[in-house]
Amino acid sequence: MIRKYSFGHPIETGAVVQDLHCEKDKPRTGKIRIDEKGFTYIRPLEKETAIYGLGETVRGINKRGWQYVSENEDQSFHMEDVRSLYSAHNFILLSDSEPLGLFFDYSGRISFDTGYTRADRLIVSCEHADLCLYEITGESLREICRTFRKMTGRSYIAPKWALGYGQSRWGYEREEDFRKVVDGYRKNHIPLDAVYMDIDYMKAYKDFTIDQEKFPDFKRFVSEMKEKKIHLVPIIDAGIKQEEGYDVCEEGLEMGYFCTDREGRPFDTACWPGLTYHPDFLNAKTREWFGNKYRILTDLGIDGFWNDMNEPSVFYTKRTMEEVREKMRKFLSKPAKETAFFELAGLTEEFSSPEIYKDFYHDMDGTRICHDRVHNLYGYMMTRAAGEAFEKISPDRRILIFSRSSYIGMHRYGGIWQGDNKSWWSHLLLNIQMTASLNMCGFLYTGADLGGFGSDTGRDLLLRWLAFGVFTPLMRNHSAFNTRNQECYNFENPEDFAHVIGVRYRLLPYLYSEYVKAALKDDMYFRPLAFDYPMDRMACGIEDQLMLGEGLMVTPIYTQNADGRYVYLPEEMLFVKFIPSGEIETKRMEKGIHYIHVELNEVPLFIRKNHFLPLAAAAECVDDLDEEDLTLLGWITEKSEYLLYHDDGYTRDYETPDHYRILTMDTEDAGGI
Ligand code: MIG
């Protein structure tokens, strides 16, 4: 059941698609305080209550005991003390005896104090008492999630090739660089479906341009890659270069499509291209105009994109640059003394801070509104521009789109990647935990930069990370330009990588089926064990294993030098290990705690009893996958069924009943396994 409450004058975010009537009474689940400090929601917390949700945030799956702040931020150094990352997912779930979901539909900065100030209080607060609050009750956390997801609309469905493995790196510049990557993979028989193009493909970092010197005939190059069954996926940045003669800039100025300053002039920002303007994505006309620009690249054969820097990430503005320069002048005019060092060192932070959000404005379809009120919608609306355009540009075939920044509602238009992580073991664990929370908020098509974006990866870290990436819908290896080369063929024994990534393709009939079914049924693809076994106290405390679809449990290894790990089985399951010979080892296991041995080049998983997996033979790309000839793997003590979703992977007719097949497995098959 959903109860909706409205306070003040909420800004329309478009997060909720269901028409719900507003309650007249006060919220039942907590106290509301509205005063000069703004809006506060307070609810007592029982000792046992776990808190879930909040999507893209640091720390564990149970979010209790910290202060999280939704204020989208380019956070390329996220340790466990950061309060905000790239996205605002203001949905939380409480595991009370009557489980509860709360969604705060508010587009500015909002804080979730989950037992940080006082262990027994949930305090949600924001500056303006203009928002909608939704209370969702239901039988279970999973059901509340489904209700929430129905309320916010069906999740984006990516083309099937985008569930293949992709290689990315900031620093591939020209045709040869891309050819080298593709050859490296194909030569070593490591599967590959996509290579990502970072900002260097553009001319002077200008969106929707291609550097002709690096790509003399881009269209031809795209089809050359297509022949090798490779999709090229270019990046699009939020900021538009200020340059005379650059059509996107000139059109934007002429039509008034950019954000404006206090005086109503186009607001000066800076990003990779130097001085930029930021399109006013909160305006429907701007969205339509910008969305249509993607056509420039789809016309050349491109069918996938990633949207970056859309928190928005601004290096500096005219004002902050002038202020910093002024302070430096003062600094230089005085004799050097020790304390001034800190003044100077701190200056870099003054280039960009949330203070700049107060300096510019949007025209939200007729209403002028300051950016700080709608900050968290920016990346969402950029990706909405793309998603809505794709429905016109390519009505029949799906296009891949994922974003760095998001807000709830954006999950209908595209996926997200989890931002600039590091090649740290702790970020592999963060990836596992964050993915569960993102699923609660509707972001099913998601994944982290496998191997880690910043700093140097290790072969062991990359292999372990890939063995988890095998299960995430977005499976992409990405790294920053100044780090160690992270393509799989650059490490010893590339066949180990071929094997691990190959397992992804063997599992794809199941993974794709569960992914699309989860989207169509407003369900979660990944779930914490607490959602499936709420009465099992041990299961509720597990933070490093996930349920995947109906039949699977994943138990990644995320510590260095481990030859395996402890796992907790909440029921009898079949332990399955994909080993490099191509064989599959299986072992029936009792409910309880076990130690499993897993080599660096092996992929472990568990199948619930009387569930089974349809497996394909390994392939080097999605289009080569043979899905007519499937092997069924499971521990069967009674006749069991699996509902397989299978379509061509390209068209958008998801609802056709023809896409479903029922597979059955009986006890006689191979002695129960
Ligand atoms: O300021 O385009 O998160 O994936 O490689 C960094 C360069 C800009 C940030 C993205 C990252 C990408 C990088 N970008």
Side-chain angles (χ1 to χ4, degrees), residues 170 198-199 235 272 306 308-309 315 404 417 420 453 478:
W170 180 7
D198 210 316
I199 44 176
I235 196 170
W272 290 107
W306 46 313
D308 191 19
M309 305 304 273
F315 292 171
R404 192 169 72 175
W417 91 98
D420 293 348
F453 173 75
H478 179 50

Side-chain angles (χ1 to χ4, degrees), residues 234-489:
I235 196 170
I236 302 293
D237 275 7
I240 298 299
K241 184 173 175 63
Q242 295 189 12
E243 188 183 274
E244 249 184 71
Y246 170 34
D247 53 352
V248 184
C249 174
E250 291 195 340
E251 283 170 33
L253 284 176
E254 195 187 310
M255 303 302 292
Y257 289 147
F258 296 130
C259 294
T260 50
D261 64 14
R262 248 171 258 261
E263 282 76 43
R265 290 180 305 237
F267 183 62
D268 292 301
T269 47
C271 206
W272 290 107
L275 280 179
T276 49
Y277 296 121
H278 272 76
D280 183 1
F281 293 119
L282 278 83
N283 181 285
K285 289 202 193 87
T286 307
R287 283 200 297 275
E288 203 186 334
W289 163 73
F290 194 86
N292 217 15
K293 293 286 170 214
Y294 287 80
R295 201 186 280 273
I296 294 169
L297 291 157
T298 56
D299 281 350
L300 297 170
I302 292 296
D303 53 7
F305 299 90
W306 46 313
N307 283 347
D308 191 19
M309 305 304 273
N310 52 7
E311 293 68 32
S313 175
V314 172
F315 292 171
Y316 59 87
T317 69
K318 226 177 204 170
R319 173 179 68 78
T320 62
M321 179 55 97
E322 275 160 21
E323 284 175 7
V324 171
R325 287 172 65 99
E326 186 49 40
K327 284 187 182 164
M328 285 180 78
R329 260 182 234 118
K330 271 197 198 138
F331 175 81
L332 289 173
S333 68
K334 280 187 267 174
K337 52 178 175 152
E338 224 178 293
T339 48
F341 161 76
F342 293 103
E343 252 172 62
L344 188 66
L347 271 185
T348 50
E349 276 158 37
E350 293 185 25
F351 282 117
S352 179
S353 82
E355 281 302 303
I356 67 164
Y357 307 154
K358 296 198 174 80
D359 293 344
F360 66 103
Y361 292 82
H362 298 271
D363 168 8
M364 229 176 147
D365 305 331
T367 314
R368 186 168 153 87
I369 191 157
C370 186
H371 180 76
D372 71 339
R373 301 292 300 268
V374 291
H375 173 68
N376 291 340
L377 301 181
Y378 195 79
Y380 160 22
M381 292 298 162
M382 176 187 185
T383 302
R384 177 174 169 190
E388 286 180 341
F390 295 156
E391 280 166 31
K392 292 182 201 137
I393 295 172
S394 176
D396 301 325
R397 283 168 87 82
R398 292 172 230 173
I399 289 187
L400 170 64
I401 174 76
F402 58 89
S403 173
R404 192 169 72 175
S405 183
S406 66
Y407 182 88
I408 285 167
M410 204 213 84
H411 67 285
R412 302 194 298 271
Y413 303 100
I416 55 172
W417 91 98
Q418 295 166 18
D420 293 348
N421 58 8
K422 295 267 189 189
S423 299
W424 295 340
W425 291 88
S426 61
H427 274 184
L428 165 51
L429 177 61
L430 180 63
N431 180 196
I432 298 163
Q433 297 175 325
M434 192 190 278
T435 302
S437 310
L438 283 173
N439 268 249
M440 298 171 202
C441 299
F443 293 89
L444 303 183
Y445 189 80
T446 179
D449 291 350
L450 301 175
F453 173 75
S455 47
D456 294 331
T457 201
R459 179 179 190 272
D460 52 352
L461 177 57
L462 180 55
L463 276 167
R464 291 298 196 202
W465 213 324
L466 288 167
F468 173 61
V470 156
F471 302 102
T472 60
L474 168 61
M475 187 190 187
R476 178 179 78 143
N477 174 341
H478 179 50
S479 55
F481 70 92
N482 51 358
T483 63
R484 177 183 190 179
N485 289 336
Q486 204 164 287
E487 299 77 15
C488 297
Y489 53 82

